[in-house]
Amino acid sequence: MSQPRQTDHAIHPLFINRWSPRAFTGESIDQPTLDSLFEAARWAPSANNSQPWRFIYARNGSAHWPELLELLNEKNRAWASNASVLIVLVSKTTHLRAGSDAATALRNHSLDAGAAWAHLALQAEHAGWHSHAIGGFDREQARTLLGVPDGYQVEIAIAIGKLASRDSLSAELQAREQPNQRNPLHSLIAEGRFSFQA
Ligand SMILES: Cc1cc2nc3c(=O)[nH]c(=O)nc-3n(C[C@H](O)[C@H](O)[C@H](O)COP(=O)(O)O)c2cc1C
């Protein structure tokens, strides 16, 4: 087991208690809780308040579940098959500003979608659920299967679930099933000028 997560400075416990497990029970998530995750994401900040995030989801066992699960690469599918919900996060790449009839490109659509994902993940932790972002999936297949039109970028998949015993995982995944650590704070911040190690 690695050391428990510790911060150098006092922060809300949500930030270090959130982690990305792979052992999920597959149990059903109630609609108000699921809605609360999207509600938290909805209140993320975005450039021009453009709110480019869109969430396409399927519950485990629903008609759409096999399609979303199929998008994941094999390694991710092995554990995410026991999630309660799979979400594909897409972002709108253009924005119609108030008073304009021509859409302009949104430079920060992915950044803003990332902020929404972080809100969702923290709300999941707050509600006693866990989330796990997944970059290992077929974005082109997602576009086709889910009917994502031009003008939207497929960003990440997200698994939501309740924590199960790590024994439910393969030996390889059991070894990784624990909260990980972070780089030291001093290596991330610089006053006034870029002065980081390569
Ligand atoms: C954009 C993104 C893509 C990720 N892709 C995967 C993935 O394909 N498979 C996986 O098991 N974990 C994936 N992760 C989870 C990261 O490995 C994890 O967030 C990171 O190690 C930090 O650990 P923590 O979330 O437990 O704090 C992804 C996370 C992010 C934010």
Side-chain angles (χ1 to χ4, degrees):
M1 278 300 254
S2 69
Q3 295 296 311
R5 287 177 164 179
Q6 284 183 338
T7 61
D8 295 342
H9 303 276
I11 57 173
H12 196 286
L14 266 184
F15 292 106
I16 53 165
N17 289 344
R18 184 217 57 79
W19 67 292
S20 304
R22 295 184 177 84
F24 288 126
T25 63
E27 70 195 68
S28 176
I29 184 171
D30 61 281
Q31 195 64 42
T33 301
L34 181 57
D35 287 343
S36 76
L37 308 190
F38 296 127
E39 180 71 39
R42 177 186 171 215
W43 289 98
S46 60
N48 288 107
N49 200 19
S50 53
Q51 305 163 61
W53 42 77
R54 305 287 185 271
F55 301 91
I56 303 162
Y57 77 91
R59 294 165 167 282
N60 196 334
S62 71
H64 294 294
W65 175 260
E67 277 183 357
L68 266 76
L69 191 60
E70 179 67 25
L71 298 174
L72 308 186
N73 69 26
E74 212 176 313
K75 279 196 164 171
N76 286 322
R77 202 182 313 136
W79 57 265
S81 60
N82 289 321
S84 303
V85 181
L86 281 173
I87 301 169
V88 172
L89 169 56
V90 306
S91 66
K92 195 170 192 307
T93 60
T94 60
H95 179 54
L96 202 57
R97 286 169 201 260
S100 168
D101 52 7
T104 51
L106 271 178
R107 188 192 304 236
N108 295 309
H109 59 92
S110 288
L111 182 83
D112 294 344
W117 138 246
H119 275 213
L120 184 150
L122 291 169
Q123 178 64 28
E125 169 62 32
H126 177 67
W129 289 75
H130 283 80
S131 58
H132 196 137
I134 301 170
F137 72 108
D138 190 330
R139 288 170 176 75
E140 274 317 301
Q141 198 188 351
R143 181 175 289 286
T144 309
L145 267 183
L146 308 180
V148 178
D150 289 348
Y152 288 82
Q153 182 165 310
V154 178
E155 302 284 357
I156 54 166
I158 302 165
I160 305 290
K162 270 270 160 93
L163 200 58
S165 163
R166 61 213 296 272
D167 299 345
S168 61
L169 297 171
S170 66
E172 184 197 346
L173 291 183
Q174 278 185 39
R176 298 167 61 189
E177 187 71 351
Q178 55 193 329
N180 53 20
Q181 300 297 332
R182 290 297 185 269
N183 294 329
L185 189 58
H186 65 76
S187 69
L188 312 175
I189 51 181
E191 188 171 1
R193 285 284 184 280
F194 188 102
S195 57
F196 302 103
Q197 302 298 319

PDB file of all heavy atoms in Angstrom, residues 162-181:
ATOM      1  N   LYS A 162     -20.194   2.716  -7.594  1.00  0.00           N
ATOM      2  CA  LYS A 162     -19.945   2.548  -6.151  1.00  0.00           C
ATOM      3  C   LYS A 162     -18.767   1.601  -5.994  1.00  0.00           C
ATOM      4  O   LYS A 162     -18.628   0.632  -6.754  1.00  0.00           O
ATOM      5  CB  LYS A 162     -21.179   1.940  -5.484  1.00  0.00           C
ATOM      6  CG  LYS A 162     -22.180   2.964  -4.970  1.00  0.00           C
ATOM      7  CD  LYS A 162     -21.861   3.346  -3.532  1.00  0.00           C
ATOM      8  CE  LYS A 162     -22.496   4.664  -3.163  1.00  0.00           C
ATOM      9  NZ  LYS A 162     -23.770   4.613  -2.545  1.00  0.00           N
ATOM     10  N   LEU A 163     -17.963   1.890  -5.005  1.00  0.00           N
ATOM     11  CA  LEU A 163     -16.739   1.128  -4.791  1.00  0.00           C
ATOM     12  C   LEU A 163     -17.048  -0.331  -4.416  1.00  0.00           C
ATOM     13  O   LEU A 163     -17.857  -0.588  -3.531  1.00  0.00           O
ATOM     14  CB  LEU A 163     -15.960   1.794  -3.663  1.00  0.00           C
ATOM     15  CG  LEU A 163     -14.486   1.501  -3.537  1.00  0.00           C
ATOM     16  CD1 LEU A 163     -13.748   1.867  -4.814  1.00  0.00           C
ATOM     17  CD2 LEU A 163     -13.922   2.280  -2.351  1.00  0.00           C
ATOM     18  N   ALA A 164     -16.379  -1.251  -5.082  1.00  0.00           N
ATOM     19  CA  ALA A 164     -16.480  -2.678  -4.747  1.00  0.00           C
ATOM     20  C   ALA A 164     -15.149  -3.131  -4.150  1.00  0.00           C
ATOM     21  O   ALA A 164     -14.160  -2.377  -4.145  1.00  0.00           O
ATOM     22  CB  ALA A 164     -16.788  -3.486  -5.998  1.00  0.00           C
ATOM     23  N   SER A 165     -15.128  -4.342  -3.660  1.00  0.00           N
ATOM     24  CA  SER A 165     -13.872  -4.898  -3.127  1.00  0.00           C
ATOM     25  C   SER A 165     -12.841  -5.002  -4.256  1.00  0.00           C
ATOM     26  O   SER A 165     -13.164  -5.396  -5.379  1.00  0.00           O
ATOM     27  CB  SER A 165     -14.151  -6.280  -2.535  1.00  0.00           C
ATOM     28  OG  SER A 165     -12.925  -6.964  -2.394  1.00  0.00           O
ATOM     29  N   ARG A 166     -11.603  -4.687  -3.925  1.00  0.00           N
ATOM     30  CA  ARG A 166     -10.545  -4.784  -4.945  1.00  0.00           C
ATOM     31  C   ARG A 166     -10.356  -6.222  -5.397  1.00  0.00           C
ATOM     32  O   ARG A 166      -9.792  -6.482  -6.466  1.00  0.00           O
ATOM     33  CB  ARG A 166      -9.238  -4.157  -4.439  1.00  0.00           C
ATOM     34  CG  ARG A 166      -8.658  -4.794  -3.208  1.00  0.00           C
ATOM     35  CD  ARG A 166      -7.959  -3.745  -2.341  1.00  0.00           C
ATOM     36  NE  ARG A 166      -6.821  -3.150  -3.002  1.00  0.00           N
ATOM     37  CZ  ARG A 166      -5.592  -3.640  -2.957  1.00  0.00           C
ATOM     38  NH1 ARG A 166      -5.354  -4.752  -2.291  1.00  0.00           N
ATOM     39  NH2 ARG A 166      -4.606  -3.034  -3.567  1.00  0.00           N
ATOM     40  N   ASP A 167     -10.847  -7.186  -4.583  1.00  0.00           N
ATOM     41  CA  ASP A 167     -10.732  -8.605  -4.966  1.00  0.00           C
ATOM     42  C   ASP A 167     -11.472  -8.897  -6.264  1.00  0.00           C
ATOM     43  O   ASP A 167     -11.245  -9.935  -6.898  1.00  0.00           O
ATOM     44  CB  ASP A 167     -11.326  -9.516  -3.870  1.00  0.00           C
ATOM     45  CG  ASP A 167     -10.592  -9.344  -2.555  1.00  0.00           C
ATOM     46  OD1 ASP A 167      -9.487  -8.764  -2.564  1.00  0.00           O
ATOM     47  OD2 ASP A 167     -11.134  -9.794  -1.520  1.00  0.00           O
ATOM     48  N   SER A 168     -12.401  -8.013  -6.627  1.00  0.00           N
ATOM     49  CA  SER A 168     -13.180  -8.255  -7.847  1.00  0.00           C
ATOM     50  C   SER A 168     -12.348  -7.983  -9.107  1.00  0.00           C
ATOM     51  O   SER A 168     -12.803  -8.266 -10.208  1.00  0.00           O
ATOM     52  CB  SER A 168     -14.449  -7.381  -7.847  1.00  0.00           C
ATOM     53  OG  SER A 168     -14.081  -5.999  -7.812  1.00  0.00           O
ATOM     54  N   LEU A 169     -11.145  -7.424  -8.929  1.00  0.00           N
ATOM     55  CA  LEU A 169     -10.310  -7.074 -10.081  1.00  0.00           C
ATOM     56  C   LEU A 169      -9.266  -8.159 -10.368  1.00  0.00           C
ATOM     57  O   LEU A 169      -8.956  -8.980  -9.497  1.00  0.00           O
ATOM     58  CB  LEU A 169      -9.565  -5.760  -9.794  1.00  0.00           C
ATOM     59  CG  LEU A 169     -10.416  -4.511  -9.597  1.00  0.00           C
ATOM     60  CD1 LEU A 169      -9.548  -3.361  -9.105  1.00  0.00           C
ATOM     61  CD2 LEU A 169     -11.133  -4.134 -10.893  1.00  0.00           C
ATOM     62  N   SER A 170      -8.708  -8.094 -11.555  1.00  0.00           N
ATOM     63  CA  SER A 170      -7.579  -8.970 -11.893  1.00  0.00           C
ATOM     64  C   SER A 170      -6.407  -8.637 -10.961  1.00  0.00           C
ATOM     65  O   SER A 170      -6.343  -7.528 -10.407  1.00  0.00           O
ATOM     66  CB  SER A 170      -7.160  -8.739 -13.339  1.00  0.00           C
ATOM     67  OG  SER A 170      -6.643  -7.421 -13.459  1.00  0.00           O
ATOM     68  N   ALA A 171      -5.452  -9.549 -10.834  1.00  0.00           N
ATOM     69  CA  ALA A 171      -4.305  -9.318  -9.952  1.00  0.00           C
ATOM     70  C   ALA A 171      -3.559  -8.046 -10.354  1.00  0.00           C
ATOM     71  O   ALA A 171      -3.138  -7.257  -9.501  1.00  0.00           O
ATOM     72  CB  ALA A 171      -3.377 -10.532  -9.999  1.00  0.00           C
ATOM     73  N   GLU A 172      -3.418  -7.825 -11.661  1.00  0.00           N
ATOM     74  CA  GLU A 172      -2.692  -6.643 -12.149  1.00  0.00           C
ATOM     75  C   GLU A 172      -3.393  -5.357 -11.698  1.00  0.00           C
ATOM     76  O   GLU A 172      -2.748  -4.415 -11.229  1.00  0.00           O
ATOM     77  CB  GLU A 172      -2.622  -6.708 -13.683  1.00  0.00           C
ATOM     78  CG  GLU A 172      -1.814  -5.582 -14.287  1.00  0.00           C
ATOM     79  CD  GLU A 172      -2.084  -5.417 -15.782  1.00  0.00           C
ATOM     80  OE1 GLU A 172      -2.677  -6.322 -16.398  1.00  0.00           O
ATOM     81  OE2 GLU A 172      -1.714  -4.356 -16.302  1.00  0.00           O
ATOM     82  N   LEU A 173      -4.716  -5.340 -11.827  1.00  0.00           N
ATOM     83  CA  LEU A 173      -5.446  -4.119 -11.451  1.00  0.00           C
ATOM     84  C   LEU A 173      -5.539  -3.962  -9.939  1.00  0.00           C
ATOM     85  O   LEU A 173      -5.554  -2.840  -9.424  1.00  0.00           O
ATOM     86  CB  LEU A 173      -6.835  -4.103 -12.088  1.00  0.00           C
ATOM     87  CG  LEU A 173      -6.862  -3.920 -13.611  1.00  0.00           C
ATOM     88  CD1 LEU A 173      -8.296  -3.846 -14.121  1.00  0.00           C
ATOM     89  CD2 LEU A 173      -6.086  -2.668 -14.026  1.00  0.00           C
ATOM     90  N   GLN A 174      -5.589  -5.082  -9.231  1.00  0.00           N
ATOM     91  CA  GLN A 174      -5.624  -4.991  -7.750  1.00  0.00           C
ATOM     92  C   GLN A 174      -4.407  -4.233  -7.231  1.00  0.00           C
ATOM     93  O   GLN A 174      -4.499  -3.417  -6.319  1.00  0.00           O
ATOM     94  CB  GLN A 174      -5.626  -6.393  -7.131  1.00  0.00           C
ATOM     95  CG  GLN A 174      -6.997  -7.026  -7.088  1.00  0.00           C
ATOM     96  CD  GLN A 174      -6.975  -8.373  -6.363  1.00  0.00           C
ATOM     97  OE1 GLN A 174      -6.279  -8.536  -5.364  1.00  0.00           O
ATOM     98  NE2 GLN A 174      -7.749  -9.315  -6.884  1.00  0.00           N
ATOM     99  N   ALA A 175      -3.277  -4.476  -7.864  1.00  0.00           N
ATOM    100  CA  ALA A 175      -2.029  -3.841  -7.406  1.00  0.00           C
ATOM    101  C   ALA A 175      -2.082  -2.321  -7.587  1.00  0.00           C
ATOM    102  O   ALA A 175      -1.387  -1.589  -6.885  1.00  0.00           O
ATOM    103  CB  ALA A 175      -0.854  -4.431  -8.173  1.00  0.00           C
ATOM    104  N   ARG A 176      -2.896  -1.859  -8.541  1.00  0.00           N
ATOM    105  CA  ARG A 176      -2.973  -0.406  -8.815  1.00  0.00           C
ATOM    106  C   ARG A 176      -4.164   0.247  -8.124  1.00  0.00           C
ATOM    107  O   ARG A 176      -4.356   1.454  -8.233  1.00  0.00           O
ATOM    108  CB  ARG A 176      -3.105  -0.186 -10.321  1.00  0.00           C
ATOM    109  CG  ARG A 176      -1.920  -0.697 -11.096  1.00  0.00           C
ATOM    110  CD  ARG A 176      -2.200  -0.751 -12.585  1.00  0.00           C
ATOM    111  NE  ARG A 176      -2.496   0.550 -13.163  1.00  0.00           N
ATOM    112  CZ  ARG A 176      -2.945   0.725 -14.410  1.00  0.00           C
ATOM    113  NH1 ARG A 176      -3.157  -0.319 -15.187  1.00  0.00           N
ATOM    114  NH2 ARG A 176      -3.184   1.928 -14.859  1.00  0.00           N
ATOM    115  N   GLU A 177      -4.975  -0.561  -7.413  1.00  0.00           N
ATOM    116  CA  GLU A 177      -6.247  -0.050  -6.891  1.00  0.00           C
ATOM    117  C   GLU A 177      -6.061   0.694  -5.566  1.00  0.00           C
ATOM    118  O   GLU A 177      -6.417   0.192  -4.493  1.00  0.00           O
ATOM    119  CB  GLU A 177      -7.227  -1.225  -6.750  1.00  0.00           C
ATOM    120  CG  GLU A 177      -8.655  -0.841  -6.380  1.00  0.00           C
ATOM    121  CD  GLU A 177      -9.428  -0.145  -7.481  1.00  0.00           C
ATOM    122  OE1 GLU A 177      -8.822   0.220  -8.516  1.00  0.00           O
ATOM    123  OE2 GLU A 177     -10.632   0.037  -7.290  1.00  0.00           O
ATOM    124  N   GLN A 178      -5.473   1.865  -5.653  1.00  0.00           N
ATOM    125  CA  GLN A 178      -5.310   2.706  -4.463  1.00  0.00           C
ATOM    126  C   GLN A 178      -5.073   4.146  -4.911  1.00  0.00           C
ATOM    127  O   GLN A 178      -4.572   4.382  -6.017  1.00  0.00           O
ATOM    128  CB  GLN A 178      -4.128   2.229  -3.624  1.00  0.00           C
ATOM    129  CG  GLN A 178      -2.836   2.156  -4.391  1.00  0.00           C
ATOM    130  CD  GLN A 178      -1.773   1.395  -3.624  1.00  0.00           C
ATOM    131  OE1 GLN A 178      -1.765   1.419  -2.413  1.00  0.00           O
ATOM    132  NE2 GLN A 178      -0.884   0.734  -4.334  1.00  0.00           N
ATOM    133  N   PRO A 179      -5.414   5.093  -4.068  1.00  0.00           N
ATOM    134  CA  PRO A 179      -5.181   6.493  -4.423  1.00  0.00           C
ATOM    135  C   PRO A 179      -3.699   6.736  -4.660  1.00  0.00           C
ATOM    136  O   PRO A 179      -2.856   6.254  -3.894  1.00  0.00           O
ATOM    137  CB  PRO A 179      -5.675   7.260  -3.194  1.00  0.00           C
ATOM    138  CG  PRO A 179      -6.639   6.340  -2.520  1.00  0.00           C
ATOM    139  CD  PRO A 179      -6.108   4.956  -2.768  1.00  0.00           C
ATOM    140  N   ASN A 180      -3.383   7.458  -5.730  1.00  0.00           N
ATOM    141  CA  ASN A 180      -1.968   7.738  -6.024  1.00  0.00           C
ATOM    142  C   ASN A 180      -1.565   9.112  -5.477  1.00  0.00           C
ATOM    143  O   ASN A 180      -2.343   9.789  -4.810  1.00  0.00           O
ATOM    144  CB  ASN A 180      -1.694   7.589  -7.527  1.00  0.00           C
ATOM    145  CG  ASN A 180      -2.650   8.403  -8.373  1.00  0.00           C
ATOM    146  OD1 ASN A 180      -3.261   9.349  -7.885  1.00  0.00           O
ATOM    147  ND2 ASN A 180      -2.795   8.047  -9.638  1.00  0.00           N
ATOM    148  N   GLN A 181      -0.334   9.500  -5.779  1.00  0.00           N
ATOM    149  CA  GLN A 181       0.229  10.719  -5.187  1.00  0.00           C
ATOM    150  C   GLN A 181       0.330  11.826  -6.233  1.00  0.00           C
ATOM    151  O   GLN A 181      -0.079  11.658  -7.381  1.00  0.00           O
ATOM    152  CB  GLN A 181       1.596  10.406  -4.573  1.00  0.00           C
ATOM    153  CG  GLN A 181       1.550   9.350  -3.479  1.00  0.00           C
ATOM    154  CD  GLN A 181       0.729   9.787  -2.264  1.00  0.00           C
ATOM    155  OE1 GLN A 181       0.614  10.981  -1.977  1.00  0.00           O
ATOM    156  NE2 GLN A 181       0.152   8.827  -1.550  1.00  0.00           N
TER     157      GLN A 181
END
